Amino acid sequence: MPLLELENVSQRFGGLKALTDFSIALEDRELVGLIGPNGAGKTTVFNLVSGFYTPSEGRITFGGRPTRGLKPHQVTALGMARTFQNIRLWNDLSVLDNIRLAHHFRLGYGMVDAVFRTGRYGRAEQKIEREAREILETMELAEFAAEQPKNLPYGVQRRVELARALSTKPRLLLLDEPAAGLNSSDVDGLIRLIRWIYDEFKICIWMIEHQMKVVMSLCQRLMVIDFGITIARGTPREIQSNPDVIRAYLGDGAL
Ligand SMILES: Nc1ncnc2c1ncn2[C@@H]1O[C@H](COP(=O)(O)OP(=O)(O)O)[C@@H](O)[C@H]1O
Ligand SMILES: [Mg+2]
């Protein structure tokens, strides 16, 4: 059984068909890329998969279970985590609290339990704190535990967002343009970090990325969409020389 399966998924926004008949099956421990020009529908795919949108048509299953009707935090609880194209951290909380809050979703506690520290929360608090500190240590973020994300360099904020996603112990990690906004030395560090996460956590990673260097050096296979339509699938090498892909990217300067 695939870890994640999308079958003929389409999404309309009013008169716009943002995604048409999108299908893919991801297995455990794959590292797969989703690419395409701006506005192609890539983020829409992740919003559908992670429960932010409900597909207009088609079927999505995670671990064999249909996800239609589940809310994002319920999908998280099943073992899926994501990062966002524009970093979404709780900027007025500390880095440590950002990680702790993510834990709550995995353990089935709500924001209310976390903020008001109910009895239920109190019992699990020590374990959550210990695990949150562990993931910060692992991701070389321990020194920033008490800082607010908004005061940290962008590259560090990206790492905090990754740490937060990993702290929910996902089987599938979705990364939406993790290299966006990073300078070239940060991009090299990110490539090493994603490879390390993949090896260390032994999970499946599905990433959207605009920087070809990142997908080409990390992904085992790629899928390309343009105007919501799948135009190619293959290894990075196959995709790089695919005439349909080159045409879609012409003028985009990304290849
Ligand atoms: N919530 C929404 N409401 C209306 N249109 C949307 C919404 N989300 C995305 N779109 C549109 O769908 C298309 C694909 O967007 P998106 O998935 O963000 O593309 P990409 O991530 O590939 O750049 C765009 O035309 C975008 O404007
Ligand atoms: Mg996008």
Side-chain angles (χ1 to χ4, degrees):
M1 186 207 302
L3 177 60
L4 176 75
E5 190 165 24
L6 283 78
E7 294 167 281
N8 301 105
V9 172
S10 297
Q11 181 67 5
R12 280 192 202 82
F13 296 112
L16 173 79
K17 200 161 185 194
L19 193 68
T20 304
D21 276 336
F22 183 96
S23 298
I24 192 171
L26 298 181
E27 305 294 334
D28 269 315
R29 299 235 55 203
E30 278 199 283
L31 212 171
V32 178
L34 175 61
I35 66 172
N38 273 327
K42 304 179 299 295
T43 297
T44 297
V45 171
F46 277 14
N47 284 336
L48 288 163
V49 166
S50 54
F52 285 84
Y53 299 159
T54 303
S56 309
E57 289 158 45
R59 198 176 128 87
I60 301 175
T61 53
F62 185 59
R65 179 190 165 152
T67 60
R68 184 175 285 274
L70 296 183
K71 297 198 165 61
H73 73 273
Q74 295 172 313
V75 176
T76 303
L78 291 179
M80 189 192 301
R82 70 175 290 187
T83 63
F84 294 88
Q85 192 169 341
N86 305 306
I87 297 175
R88 289 195 201 174
L89 291 165
W90 292 294
N91 263 317
D92 297 317
L93 298 181
S94 68
V95 165
L96 181 68
D97 281 344
N98 267 271
I99 311 285
R100 291 210 304 216
L101 267 184
H103 268 261
H104 283 87
F105 290 116
R106 176 170 63 88
L107 297 174
Y109 301 112
M111 196 81 159
V112 172
D113 290 309
V115 172
F116 295 103
R117 313 211 162 192
T118 62
R120 221 153 76 92
Y121 174 81
R123 282 191 290 280
E125 188 170 15
Q126 279 190 332
K127 182 165 188 283
I128 289 169
E129 164 120 20
R130 180 164 28 87
E131 290 189 0
R133 288 195 184 276
E134 268 169 26
I135 191 80
L136 288 178
E137 198 75 47
T138 306
M139 298 286 286
E140 296 177 358
L141 289 166
E143 64 188 293
F144 305 114
E147 304 273 356
Q148 293 177 335
K150 64 183 175 202
N151 298 328
L152 296 171
Y154 200 74
V156 177
Q157 291 186 32
R158 279 273 175 216
R159 239 163 56 230
V160 173
E161 211 195 16
L162 270 170
R164 184 178 63 177
L166 286 168
S167 76
T168 67
K169 305 214 169 129
R171 296 167 68 195
L172 172 64
L173 178 62
L174 306 174
L175 305 177
D176 193 349
E177 299 206 27
L182 299 185
N183 64 36
S184 71
S185 77
D186 278 351
V187 169
D188 290 337
L190 179 82
I191 292 172
R192 286 195 299 275
L193 180 61
I194 293 173
R195 187 171 291 128
W196 179 82
I197 288 170
Y198 175 71
D199 291 337
E200 183 76 15
F201 291 81
K202 308 203 182 329
I203 55 178
C204 177
I205 298 179
W206 192 15
M207 63 189 297
I208 294 170
E209 186 45 65
H210 214 61
Q211 298 201 29
M212 286 304 128
K213 182 182 176 183
V214 180
V215 274
M216 292 299 163
S217 56
L218 284 171
C219 297
Q220 296 147 0
R221 59 184 175 109
L222 297 175
M223 202 168 162
V224 191
I225 59 175
D226 190 19
F227 296 110
I229 293 166
T230 304
I231 61 167
R233 297 169 190 269
T235 62
R237 189 185 294 259
E238 287 161 355
I239 292 300
Q240 243 169 342
S241 55
N242 181 307
D244 292 334
V245 177
I246 293 165
R247 206 170 303 124
Y249 272 94
L250 267 186
D252 204 13
L255 275 185

